[in-house]
Amino acid sequence: EMEPQERAFQERIDAGQKIEPKEWMPEDYRKTLIRQISQHAHSEIVGQLPEGNWITRAPTLERKAILLAKVQDEAGHGLYLYCAAETLGISRDQMYEQLHSGKAKYSSIFNYPTLSWADIGAIGWLVDGAAIMNQVPLQRCSYGPYARAMVRICKEESFHQRQGFDIMTVLSKGTPEQKAMAQDALDRWWWPSLMMFGPSDDASVHSAQSMAWKIKQNSNDDLRQKFVDQTVPQAKYLGLTVPDPALKWNEAKGGHDFGEPDWTEFFAVIAGEGPCNRERIEARRKAWNDGAWFRDGLTAHASKQAARRQA
Ligand code: 3HC
C-alpha cells in the first residue's frame, strides 16, 4: 500500500510532470536514477576508448577531424550526465570509484575491439544508431535534469550516426576489399548492437518499475525491434548481409522476425568477462592516476584563491 507522499508522487509522474532535484522523491526512484545516469555517463567515457583507437590511423585528414569531434562529443555527453547524476546526491569521485572498482557497469558494446577502420563506420551506424533509439525516449524521462541532458546529446548523436553510415557507404560501394571490410565489421558488430538494448523483457529486473516511473518509456524488446526494422533496409542499401539466418520480414506483425542474441555472452560481458573489459578499466584507472597531479594543482590553486579572498 503506497504512503500518501508516494501516491502524490506517482500522481505527478502519471500527469507527466517533471521531477526536479530539490523535490521529494522515493529513495528507490533516486537510487535507480543514480544507477542508470551514472552508468550512462560511464558508457560515454569508456566509449571514447574503442573509437579513439583509430584517430591516429584515420584514412584521411577529414575522417580524422570528424572522429576527433565525435570522441570529444562523447566526453561532453559524459560530463552532462555526471552533472545530472550529481543533482541526486552522489559525488563525481564516488562515481569514478564505482567505475574503477568494477562496481558500476557501462554499456556492454564498448567491451569489443575495433579491429579495422570499417569498425568506426559500423560503430557510428549501428552503435550510435542504437544509442539514438534508446536515448530519444529518454528526452521524455520524468527526471528533469536527465531529460534535458538528453536533448543536446540526441542532436549530437545524429551527427555521429550520419558520419558512420557515410563511412560504411564509401566502403561498401568501394573496392571488393573495402566491401569485405564493411561486411566483416557488420558481422562483428550486429549482435553486440542488439544486446545494447538490454536483456529480453522477461529477464529485465528494472523495466517494470522504471516504466511505472516514466524513466523508461519503451521496453528493451520494443526498442530492439524498432532498431532491427530501421537498420535492415539500410544494410540492404549498402549491399551488406545482416549475419542472422532467422531474419525475415513478417507481414502480419509489420516487422522483422529475427534470431535470439547470445544471452550467455551478454551476461558474461556485463559481468566483466568480455573481450576488452579489463583493458577498458585499466585505461580508465591509468587516466585517473595520470591526471592526479593536474587535479591537485587545480585544488591547490582554488584554495589559494579562496585564502586571498578571505584575507
Ligand atoms: N550494458 C551493460 N549493462 C546493461 C546493458 C548493457 N547494454 N543492458 C542492461 N544492463 C544491465 C542493467 O544496468 C542492469 O544491471 P544493474 O542493475 O547492475 O544496473 C541489468 O543489466 C538488468 O537490465 P535492465 O533492463 O533490467 O536494466 P535497465 O532498466 O536499467 O535497462 C538500459 C538497461 C536499457 C541500458 C537502461 O539502463 C538505459 O536506457 N540506460 C541509459 C542509456 C544508456 O546507458 N545507453 C548507453 C548507450 S552507449 C552510449 O550512450 C554512447 C553512445 O554515444 C554511443
Side-chain angles (χ1 to χ4, degrees):
E1 185 39 36
M2 266 195 202
E3 302 278 314
Q5 242 182 347
E6 264 194 80
R7 199 203 338 275
F9 175 83
Q10 192 57 52
E11 278 157 17
R12 294 191 62 202
I13 296 284
D14 296 344
Q17 287 181 22
K18 286 279 180 273
I19 307 300
E20 296 301 331
K22 294 273 177 281
E23 295 171 329
W24 187 85
M25 60 184 81
E27 232 2 74
D28 282 352
Y29 179 83
R30 179 187 305 281
K31 276 218 298 281
T32 206
L33 280 168
I34 286 177
R35 172 187 66 83
Q36 175 162 335
I37 301 173
S38 62
Q39 294 184 158
H40 196 161
H42 296 328
S43 303
E44 301 286 0
I45 299 302
V46 172
Q48 294 183 285
L49 297 169
E51 298 178 358
N53 182 24
W54 280 87
I55 288 175
T56 56
R57 295 180 283 171
T60 67
L61 185 59
E62 187 200 19
R63 292 291 186 198
K64 182 200 278 270
I66 293 172
L67 183 54
L68 263 175
K70 175 178 189 320
V71 171
Q72 191 176 356
D73 281 350
E74 312 291 13
H77 297 176
L79 297 187
Y80 305 146
L81 290 166
Y82 283 129
C83 290
E86 284 169 342
T87 65
L88 290 157
I90 187 170
S91 77
R92 187 72 60 93
D93 284 5
Q94 283 171 308
M95 288 186 270
Y96 282 139
E97 190 278 326
Q98 288 174 356
L99 174 65
H100 300 152
S101 65
K103 261 201 257 72
K105 293 186 170 71
Y106 54 87
S107 193
S108 49
I109 192 72
F110 296 124
N111 291 305
Y112 293 86
T114 44
L115 303 177
S116 84
W117 171 254
D119 287 27
I120 297 303
I123 285 177
W125 172 38
L126 298 173
V127 174
D128 289 277
I132 291 170
M133 198 63 84
N134 160 284
Q135 290 172 155
V136 163
L138 285 171
Q139 295 174 111
R140 298 194 311 281
C141 168
S142 57
Y143 187 57
Y146 194 24
R148 291 189 290 271
M150 277 298 119
V151 173
R152 166 88 182 262
I153 288 177
C154 286
K155 285 195 174 51
E156 291 174 340
E157 290 288 15
S158 39
F159 145 66
H160 298 173
Q161 201 267 353
R162 292 299 311 147
Q163 64 84 37
F165 190 69
D166 181 55
I167 291 173
M168 294 303 274
T169 303
V170 167
L171 291 175
S172 64
K173 312 273 180 220
T175 64
E177 293 78 11
Q178 285 177 316
K179 180 161 184 174
M181 263 174 73
Q183 182 62 59
D184 167 55
L186 175 54
D187 291 346
R188 285 184 288 106
W189 287 91
W190 175 256
W191 290 104
S193 298
L194 295 197
M195 294 178 203
M196 276 174 72
F197 293 95
S200 55
D201 293 349
D202 49 7
S204 167
V205 293
H206 300 299
S207 284
Q209 184 57 71
S210 281
M211 291 179 87
W213 278 333
K214 292 192 183 168
I215 294 170
K216 186 180 275 191
Q217 315 292 333
N218 314 76
S219 80
N220 299 356
D221 287 335
D222 282 356
L223 290 182
R224 198 177 351 258
Q225 179 69 54
K226 269 179 77 176
F227 175 74
V228 170
D229 291 341
Q230 168 186 290
T231 311
V232 166
Q234 294 170 348
K236 276 207 184 66
Y237 166 80
L238 294 172
L240 300 178
T241 310
V242 170
D244 177 359
L247 181 72
K248 72 176 182 322
W249 178 257
N250 177 330
E251 192 50 42
K253 150 170 137 178
H256 293 82
D257 292 333
F258 55 96
E260 271 296 296
D262 176 347
W263 295 119
T264 317
E265 176 182 326
F266 171 75
F267 283 108
V269 170
I270 70 171
E273 301 309 314
C276 301
N277 294 58
R278 258 174 286 284
E279 181 186 330
R280 302 289 184 235
I281 297 291
E282 270 321 302
R284 288 314 313 157
R285 276 205 203 104
K286 183 175 180 326
W288 177 259
N289 296 333
D290 291 354
W293 68 272
F294 186 71
R295 291 192 300 277
D296 297 345
L298 284 181
T299 321
H301 178 66
S303 44
K304 264 192 221 147
Q305 295 277 64
R308 251 181 242 126
R309 274 196 298 277
Q310 236 63 354

